[in-house]
Amino acid sequence: MDYKLAFKELKIEVTQNQKEIVAAYRKLLPGCNPEDHAEEFMKLREAFEVAMEYAKNSDHEEKMESDEAGEFLNAVEELYSDYERRINEEEWRSVLDCSFCISLETTDIAREKLLVYLMQNYRMPHKVWKCIDDCFGIIEEQKKLYEIFPGEFIDYVVNHIQTDDKFPYEEIEISDVHNTHIDEYLTVLFHLEGITNDIEWGFDYDSVELKNDIEKLNEYDIHHPYQDVVTLNALLLEKQYEQAWHVVEALLKQAYKDDCVYFVLGKYYWETENYSLAYDYLKKAVEVNPEHYTARLYLAKIEFNNKRYYECREILEALLSVNNNNPMAEQLLDATNKEYVKKLTYEYENGIEDEHFKKGMLPIELGWCLFQMDETEKCVEILRSMEPDEDEKYAYHNLYGRVLCSMERFEEGLEHLIEWNKILDSIKEDGTEETAKRISRKCMAACMLGNCYYNVGKVDAAIDNYEKGIVFAQNLNEKIGAIYQLANMLFEIGEYHKCLQKCDELLELNRRYYAGYILRQKAFFELRIAQGVIDDYYNATSIYAAHFAPYYCAALMLYELGRDEDCKAVLERAIENEVEFPPKMKLLYIKLKRVLEENEMNETAYKKLLKELDELENMRDDEGFDIEDISDINFERGLVYWNLCAIDNSKKNQSMVKQYLELTINENPKALRGYTAYCDFIMHPSRRDNGNKYLDEAENYYNRALENVGREIPVIYGLGIVCYLRDQQQQGIQYFEEVLERTNTYRNACTIVKDYYLELYTREYNPEYFDKAVAAISREIDRNPDCDFYIDRGLVYLRAYKMNLAIADFESAISCNPDHWSSYNNLECCYKYLGEYEKAIEYGQKALECLRDAGLKATNPYRNMADCYSSMGQYEKAIECYLKAIEEMDYDEKAAYDNIVDLYMSLGDYENAKLAAQKAKSEYDYQQVLVEIELRKGNVEKAFQIAKDSLRLCEDTKSYAKGLHDLAEWYGNMFDSMEKAIEYNIKSLEVAEGCLSYQYERDVYSRIVMDSLYIGKEVDNK
């Protein structure tokens, strides 16, 4: 029960006072005893409960609004379900004239709820839609409504508001205005009408579908005159003339006749060769509706049959000015011109005046016919011989300009088009049909002049004339056409942003303008605005899903962005929609399959791709072959064989890669990709020979690229890599520096240059080298200030001990990526070197947290913390860090225990030092630890004995030589026995026999000399 009805039942005003509701209920209760008046009691009880619920509900306004909406929709539903009321705009005005629709607070809600209802209930005449727009401002709120409702639905509503389809809804015959099948009937009727209209325009049709629709219409207890119209049309298409006559009889008897009825009757008489009656009925159709395209086309056919070629051409030219892509009109005009030219040529050659033209116009009319037949040279010959008078100049310059431009003689055509436009600009409206016709040509003339200016390189003048054409446009289609021509020209000259603006303008005028979306999508592509490309892919395919263009543009954009799965989805959707792939789209699909399925591809799959590429190759000479760069196919072949090398790196497959990449270069020597791909292939580590032959070959191809393509950055970079692999570092750096002067996008070049100068700085400590190292990595930061680049530069600063700068860069790295462990670890190092050990340990802990969160392992934080604890004298904690590194990170145990030994020694914990040494040291090195322990205890003799005995444990020459040198140090330093020291050092040199470094040998020789001089012994010259 509605809450208002509830309060009415309780006989009180609407209130939120629960006590008042209870009192009203109790007052009425004695009058309806449940036993005697059960129905009244239940009604009163329901009213009481509804009223109480209302009182308890705090959001009364919303409830009232909800109730108002319900009442409004109920009224709309009642109106729509009564067919006679539905098609009456006054009935709608009555329903829409309510507070819920008019109130500023609820009008948007009312409009939205009404449109939701109309999405399923929309069979109404233009006058009703106009009434709805008057109330709710649908046209004004169109953009807003697109955000709420499907675009196709809003387009349908707007179209029916703006355009009268002239369907006579009132002519429907029904016994019951509440018949629930009316909309179903109208849907079938319109569908059948759409099929027959498509057939008139030359589209294929399904005969079974046609027959089924006719049978469906007959099943309903409903009739409309158009049912006979579409039925007759369908029967004529099937050439069932006997059955058609029965429908003709019904149409002739009925009172209602409009252009559609007259047309189909005329068409019937045409099909049955009664041309006189056909002409009469078609003429009536055009009188009722002068814009009836197909009726006028049939009239032209009759005029042609009657050999009235002038009249036929007049009709056809008018039709083609409305739609210049109607194949039937074009074919009939060709046939007419062939016949008409014979007559006009005879009159022209014999000086006979034609009854249809003013004196002197015959050559121009003949010229038009020749022009339309592509006999342009003959047309020019006739026009060249003319001296037009003032009356003839309009037609003369019009024709002459068009003919010359069609022959691409734009400089000559320009003067005629300028004159034609001047004449049009001077025309004043005088109410005559001829003047109106000429004025209607102003848009077209301005656009043609714009196109001519463009082709002679005068872009500004071209734009001005296109803009004039837009202003001169006399209808929406003409305006859209002019804007499109200008937008297309802007695209061709590379003014992509301006092209987008014009596309937006024309799409504001017509959201369903397919060509506008295609052009805008191409402009978005050139500007690399990926989202725009994808949005217009959806926009275009929602209008027409069977054309390749929007799929190809979107797929190519996604492919270039590396979004391979998305690219595949677009191409597969094109396949689902039975789109015919042109060659360039087939090639893109092949590329995608090679890239996307690389991990799953086997030899058979790759050979299938090669076969598809062969098929594309065979299409090269076909009309419609649209792969602009013919080297594309061989380049893809080369890449397929390259992938095959991953399966079978045979000499044959390697040779095929090089062969097809060489063909790519030969077919398009100005394209860089062939050279760089060839060099990348031969320089791959798996294909490098023992010498530098591959480097010589790469250098040769890079030099060829320099000659044919120029100093492109990838070529210079490649030459730098060649030099680096040859250890020609200085020359390589010159190439890399040239790369970095021109672009910051080559990270490897930055890194190589940085490392090169950092190494020089480390060796020579020349500040100039340090500055160059910093400059190299700073280029990357300027281009893309991300975490890794800040870390790289921070490490450069750290190497030079510029701690403040290093810390600043590591902190910047953290601001870019707070979860990158390396930034914290490097800060740990900085503060460790600065002696701020507590702070260093904090960053070490943070680094470990980041590592664990990312599921990674690294020992650096533990080792740095161990250094900090050791420097702080907290040796136990340092040992814990090393043990944690071993436990958590699989740290190299030998390296860890080496450090642990030293830490235990520092603690004086010699037993644990021995245990650690057993895990880390060789037997000889273990003995040296024992020597160190005895020395720390003061047991010099015992330490010496262990050192002497351990000499036998040396397993290699190098260790034995060093062991002898150690004993020499014992004798010289501990026992002051220089003779023994000299003896053991000489033995060490004899044993070493050059297996130790020059520095080692020099140090030992120096010791021998000093010891000899110390005891006054003559030094051997050796």
Side-chain angles (χ1 to χ4, degrees):
M1 181 183 290
D2 178 73
Y3 78 97
K4 290 181 181 178
L5 182 61
F7 282 100
K8 190 175 181 181
E9 195 70 26
L10 291 169
K11 296 182 171 42
I12 58 173
E13 294 294 325
V14 175
T15 180
Q16 299 170 29
N17 190 319
Q18 295 183 34
K19 289 182 179 179
E20 190 176 340
I21 294 168
V22 171
Y25 174 67
R26 287 176 177 170
K27 183 178 179 180
L28 296 172
L29 195 57
C32 50
N33 190 305
E35 294 178 5
D36 302 326
H37 307 284
E39 189 175 337
E40 286 85 351
F41 173 80
M42 292 299 293
K43 195 174 181 181
L44 178 63
R45 182 66 191 177
E46 183 184 2
F48 170 73
E49 290 173 355
V50 168
M52 289 296 288
E53 184 63 26
Y54 171 84
K56 293 174 186 176
N57 187 349
S58 60
D59 198 358
H60 300 295
E61 289 183 7
E62 184 178 331
K63 184 171 178 61
M64 287 173 68
E65 182 181 289
S66 174
D67 291 339
E68 282 188 296
E71 288 177 8
F72 170 64
L73 287 178
N74 286 338
V76 169
E77 190 172 349
E78 287 176 13
L79 170 59
Y80 190 88
S81 62
D82 185 325
Y83 186 77
E84 289 182 359
R85 292 183 65 209
R86 180 207 301 188
I87 63 174
N88 186 330
E89 73 269 30
E90 293 305 322
E91 291 282 355
W92 280 93
R93 289 190 195 284
S94 175
V95 169
L96 298 177
D97 187 20
C98 65
S99 61
F100 187 64
C101 295
I102 297 171
S103 170
L104 291 174
E105 296 178 358
T106 57
T107 186
D108 286 353
I109 299 168
R111 179 179 59 216
E112 187 174 330
K113 290 186 177 297
L114 176 62
L115 288 174
V116 169
Y117 177 80
L118 294 179
M119 285 178 72
Q120 301 297 324
N121 306 278
Y122 50 85
R123 298 298 184 193
M124 301 181 298
H126 163 73
K127 58 187 178 181
V128 170
W129 287 108
K130 191 74 177 64
C131 175
I132 292 171
D133 182 59
D134 291 342
C135 178
F136 291 120
I138 305 289
I139 302 294
E140 292 177 11
E141 299 292 335
Q142 190 173 348
K143 285 186 180 179
K144 180 180 177 182
L145 294 172
Y146 280 134
E147 298 172 6
I148 305 172
F149 295 93
E152 293 81 1
F153 170 63
I154 298 302
D155 287 341
Y156 176 90
V157 172
V158 169
N159 183 54
H160 279 70
I161 291 168
Q162 293 178 330
T163 309
D164 187 355
D165 60 9
K166 301 188 186 311
F167 180 81
Y169 281 88
E170 65 280 357
E171 294 300 324
I172 202 163
E173 298 170 15
I174 44 177
S175 56
D176 179 7
V177 293
H178 296 289
N179 190 320
T180 58
H181 300 294
I182 293 175
D183 280 10
E184 293 175 22
Y185 173 85
L186 290 173
T187 298
V188 178
L189 181 62
F190 289 140
H191 181 253
L192 184 55
E193 183 183 33
I195 294 174
T196 54
N197 286 340
D198 285 346
I199 294 165
E200 289 289 350
W201 287 87
F203 294 104
D204 293 333
Y205 71 99
D206 185 336
S207 181
V208 174
E209 185 180 11
L210 207 64
K211 184 179 177 182
N212 289 341
D213 274 356
I214 292 171
E215 289 177 356
K216 281 181 189 175
L217 288 176
N218 291 326
E219 290 172 3
Y220 294 101
D221 184 23
I222 304 170
H223 184 267
H224 189 280
Y226 277 16
Q227 178 176 343
D228 296 330
V229 170
V230 294
T231 302
L232 180 54
N233 248 325
L235 293 170
L236 292 176
L237 289 167
E238 297 292 310
K239 301 193 182 305
Q240 298 177 12
Y241 299 122
E242 287 186 18
Q243 290 175 261
W245 170 245
H246 297 297
V247 183
V248 169
E249 284 184 311
L251 283 170
L252 290 171
K253 288 176 185 177
Q254 72 179 21
Y256 178 78
K257 291 183 176 67
D258 65 359
D259 57 317
C260 294
V261 175
Y262 287 130
F263 167 70
V264 78
L265 289 170
K267 185 180 175 185
Y268 167 78
Y269 287 117
W270 162 268
E271 293 278 343
T272 54
E273 300 181 0
N274 189 337
Y275 300 120
S276 176
L277 279 175
Y279 186 86
D280 290 342
Y281 281 110
L282 292 166
K283 199 74 174 170
K284 286 180 181 179
V286 174
E287 286 170 2
V288 173
N289 179 11
E291 296 180 2
H292 198 301
Y293 195 97
T294 319
R296 292 156 71 194
L297 181 58
Y298 272 86
L299 281 174
K301 290 180 181 181
I302 294 173
E303 298 289 16
F304 179 81
N305 279 4
N306 292 333
K307 298 184 180 180
R308 292 162 54 87
Y309 304 123
Y310 173 82
E311 290 77 7
C312 182
R313 285 187 77 253
E314 286 285 295
I315 295 171
L316 292 172
E317 286 184 341
L319 291 176
L320 289 168
S321 70
V322 176
N323 176 14
N324 59 5
N325 290 317
N326 186 295
M328 288 184 285
E330 289 173 343
Q331 290 167 15
L332 184 55
L333 183 60
D334 287 343
T336 304
N337 282 333
K338 285 176 184 175
E339 297 300 324
Y340 198 33
V341 161
K342 295 174 187 176
K343 177 178 182 292
L344 292 178
T345 302
Y346 177 79
E347 291 174 348
Y348 174 68
E349 291 175 351
N350 292 280
I352 302 171
E353 291 188 17
D354 192 284
E355 60 186 292
H356 296 104
F357 318 126
K358 293 178 182 178
K359 185 178 179 182
M361 287 297 292
L362 190 146
I364 294 174
E365 291 299 324
L366 175 57
W368 275 114
C369 292
L370 292 169
F371 175 42
Q372 290 165 353
M373 293 169 66
D374 290 328
E375 297 279 355
T376 51
E377 291 292 351
K378 289 182 181 179
C379 179
V380 168
E381 186 180 340
I382 290 170
L383 293 171
R384 192 185 295 122
S385 65
M386 280 189 68
E387 288 291 339
D389 60 24
E390 284 301 316
D391 290 340
E392 295 160 358
K393 282 184 178 179
Y394 170 84
Y396 172 79
H397 290 300
N398 176 5
L399 175 60
Y400 214 163
R402 292 201 205 191
V403 174
L404 290 169
C405 288
S406 74
M407 299 169 74
E408 298 187 359
R409 291 161 61 176
F410 297 106
E411 290 285 357
E412 299 171 70
L414 185 60
E415 61 178 292
H416 293 287
L417 291 180
I418 290 172
E419 288 302 317
W420 182 36
N421 276 267
K422 283 181 181 177
I423 295 169
L424 283 169
D425 288 341
S426 68
I427 293 174
K428 305 296 182 185
E429 180 66 68
D430 61 6
T432 64
E433 186 178 339
E434 179 60 26
T435 298
K437 184 177 179 181
R438 290 188 177 189
I439 289 173
S440 71
R441 297 283 191 271
K442 292 179 78 170
C443 172
M444 177 179 64
C447 291
M448 289 182 70
L449 182 56
N451 181 58
C452 194
Y453 272 124
Y454 167 59
N455 280 286
V456 298
K458 297 181 179 180
V459 172
D460 290 340
I463 292 172
D464 288 344
N465 277 278
Y466 278 124
E467 294 287 6
K468 280 175 63 179
I470 295 167
V471 173
F472 290 149
Q474 294 195 323
N475 56 58
L476 183 62
N477 288 337
E478 198 171 43
K479 187 173 185 178
I480 288 172
I483 296 173
Y484 179 79
Q485 288 181 66
L486 175 54
N488 196 57
M489 188 203 78
L490 291 168
F491 177 84
E492 289 179 2
I493 63 176
E495 293 282 1
Y496 302 120
H497 284 291
K498 291 181 180 178
C499 173
L500 288 179
Q501 290 172 2
K502 288 299 168 186
C503 287
D504 289 343
E505 282 181 31
L506 68 88
L507 290 169
E508 282 284 330
L509 297 172
N510 183 358
R511 276 191 75 255
R512 306 292 291 172
Y513 191 67
Y514 178 80
Y517 287 115
I518 297 301
L519 182 58
R520 190 172 72 174
Q521 186 190 35
K522 286 162 60 180
F524 277 132
F525 182 89
E526 295 298 332
L527 291 168
R528 293 298 183 266
I529 303 175
Q531 192 57 55
V533 172
I534 303 307
D535 288 345
D536 277 345
Y537 151 67
Y538 285 112
N539 288 328
T541 54
S542 71
I543 298 168
Y544 181 47
H547 187 225
F548 81 91
Y551 300 95
Y552 176 73
C553 191
L556 186 59
M557 182 86 263
L558 293 166
Y559 180 80
E560 291 184 359
L561 290 172
R563 290 168 55 181
D564 301 326
E565 288 290 349
D566 293 332
C567 176
K568 181 183 179 184
V570 170
L571 293 177
E572 287 183 344
R573 183 169 175 237
I575 293 169
E576 288 171 12
N577 290 329
E578 299 180 354
V579 173
E580 185 176 348
F581 281 34
K584 66 181 180 182
M585 198 160 166
K586 290 178 181 177
L587 180 59
L588 176 61
Y589 200 24
I590 292 169
K591 290 179 181 181
L592 181 68
K593 285 189 282 189
R594 175 182 56 77
V595 171
L596 197 59
E597 301 173 19
E598 186 173 346
N599 295 331
E600 301 172 12
M601 296 285 266
N602 53 31
E603 190 172 355
T604 303
Y606 281 125
K607 286 182 176 177
K608 184 179 177 182
L609 290 186
L610 290 169
K611 185 178 178 183
E612 290 176 21
L613 288 166
D614 289 342
E615 291 170 359
L616 279 181
E617 176 79 27
N618 294 332
M619 295 170 64
R620 276 193 178 191
D621 297 328
D622 294 354
E623 187 179 351
F625 185 79
D626 58 353
I627 298 175
E628 295 177 7
D629 185 352
I630 59 172
S631 68
D632 245 354
I633 296 173
N634 279 324
F635 183 70
E636 188 60 25
R637 279 186 174 129
L639 297 183
V640 172
Y641 274 109
W642 192 334
N643 283 12
L644 270 170
C645 286
I647 298 170
D648 176 12
N649 197 26
S650 64
K651 292 292 183 184
K652 179 184 175 183
N653 282 339
Q654 291 185 38
S655 174
M656 295 303 283
V657 176
K658 295 168 76 172
Q659 175 186 323
Y660 282 115
L661 292 179
E662 178 67 38
L663 279 170
T664 301
I665 293 168
N666 293 338
E667 286 176 336
N668 189 354
K670 295 294 182 182
L672 182 60
R673 62 181 180 178
Y675 303 102
T676 54
Y678 192 100
C679 294
D680 287 346
F681 180 76
I682 62 175
M683 291 175 71
H684 191 275
S686 67
R687 283 175 284 279
R688 295 177 184 174
D689 54 29
N690 293 330
N692 285 340
K693 182 180 175 183
Y694 74 97
L695 291 175
D696 296 338
E697 191 176 1
E699 185 177 30
N700 173 48
Y701 274 87
Y702 281 130
N703 284 326
R704 283 176 63 185
L706 281 177
E707 292 174 14
N708 292 298
V709 185
R711 293 187 77 82
E712 292 292 330
I713 291 170
V715 177
I716 304 304
Y717 178 78
L719 286 168
I721 293 294
V722 169
C723 291
Y724 235 64
L725 291 172
R726 282 180 172 155
D727 288 330
Q728 299 169 342
Q729 289 191 349
Q730 192 168 0
Q731 188 177 349
I733 288 298
Q734 291 175 1
Y735 284 122
F736 292 134
E737 285 186 327
E738 180 181 344
V739 169
L740 295 178
E741 282 174 12
R742 294 168 61 188
T743 180
N744 288 334
T745 58
Y746 276 71
R747 184 178 181 185
N748 283 348
C750 286
T751 303
I752 291 169
V753 171
K754 180 258 296 182
D755 290 345
Y756 172 77
Y757 285 117
L758 190 59
E759 182 63 29
L760 287 176
Y761 170 73
T762 303
R763 290 207 307 262
E764 302 179 23
Y765 292 100
N766 184 336
E768 182 183 346
Y769 295 138
F770 172 78
D771 291 342
K772 287 185 175 181
V774 170
I777 195 64
S778 293
R779 286 191 183 102
E780 278 290 354
I781 292 174
D782 292 341
R783 181 184 71 88
N784 181 18
D786 85 350
C787 177
D788 290 337
F789 300 143
Y790 278 119
I791 290 173
D792 280 353
R793 191 171 69 180
L795 291 171
V796 174
Y797 286 133
L798 187 60
R799 181 80 69 90
Y801 210 73
K802 295 181 181 292
M803 292 301 172
N804 289 340
L805 294 172
I807 288 169
D809 271 352
F810 296 138
E811 287 176 344
S812 294
I814 290 170
S815 68
C816 293
N817 182 1
D819 299 321
H820 198 302
W821 73 274
S822 181
S823 305
Y824 299 102
N825 179 70
N826 289 320
L827 283 170
E828 181 185 22
C829 287
C830 289
Y831 286 110
K832 179 181 78 172
Y833 295 147
L834 290 171
E836 297 184 36
Y837 302 122
E838 295 287 353
K839 199 165 187 177
I841 290 167
E842 286 179 20
Y843 279 112
Q845 294 288 1
K846 184 64 179 175
L848 288 171
E849 287 175 22
C850 292
L851 282 165
R852 292 189 189 102
D853 290 344
L856 301 173
K857 293 181 178 181
T859 60
N860 306 50
Y862 279 119
R863 287 188 284 124
N864 286 322
M865 284 195 291
D867 290 343
C868 291
Y869 283 125
S870 179
S871 298
M872 294 164 70
Q874 298 179 23
Y875 303 123
E876 293 92 343
K877 287 189 175 180
I879 291 167
E880 285 178 19
C881 286
Y882 284 119
L883 292 174
K884 276 283 187 183
I886 294 169
E887 177 188 341
E888 293 185 17
M889 307 287 183
D890 298 326
Y891 182 34
D892 177 5
E893 288 194 16
K894 184 179 184 310
Y897 280 112
D898 269 341
N899 291 308
I900 290 171
V901 168
D902 293 337
L903 290 165
Y904 276 126
M905 295 283 271
S906 297
L907 285 168
D909 188 346
Y910 302 130
E911 291 304 315
N912 276 321
K914 288 180 188 179
L915 292 173
Q918 286 176 335
K919 295 180 180 180
K921 309 286 187 179
S922 65
E923 184 61 30
Y924 173 76
D925 290 333
Y926 174 68
Q927 294 298 319
Q928 299 312 303
V929 171
L930 296 180
V931 169
E932 178 66 20
I933 290 171
E934 294 303 327
L935 283 174
R936 289 191 179 219
K937 289 179 178 180
N939 300 327
V940 177
E941 291 293 335
K942 188 174 181 181
F944 175 69
Q945 191 59 48
I946 294 171
K948 194 173 181 180
D949 292 344
S950 67
L951 194 60
R952 58 186 173 78
L953 299 173
C954 294
E955 296 178 355
D956 57 74
T957 303
K958 190 184 290 187
S959 297
Y960 189 66
K962 285 185 175 181
L964 289 170
H965 175 63
D966 288 344
L967 284 176
E969 293 295 295
W970 273 93
Y971 282 114
N973 294 332
M974 301 296 293
F975 302 130
D976 202 25
S977 177
M978 300 306 174
E979 291 285 351
K980 284 283 188 181
I982 292 168
E983 177 188 344
Y984 274 96
N985 271 325
I986 290 171
K987 283 182 181 180
S988 173
L989 289 171
E990 291 172 350
V991 169
E993 294 181 348
C995 71
L996 291 166
S997 68
Y998 167 77
Q999 183 65 42
Y1000 173 83
E1001 289 185 352
R1002 192 179 73 169
D1003 290 346
V1004 175
Y1005 274 119
S1006 296
R1007 190 56 190 253
I1008 292 171
V1009 170
M1010 286 192 301
D1011 288 347
S1012 298
L1013 290 172
Y1014 181 76
I1015 61 175
K1017 184 177 179 180
E1018 187 176 348
V1019 180
D1020 192 331
N1021 287 335
K1022 179 182 176 183

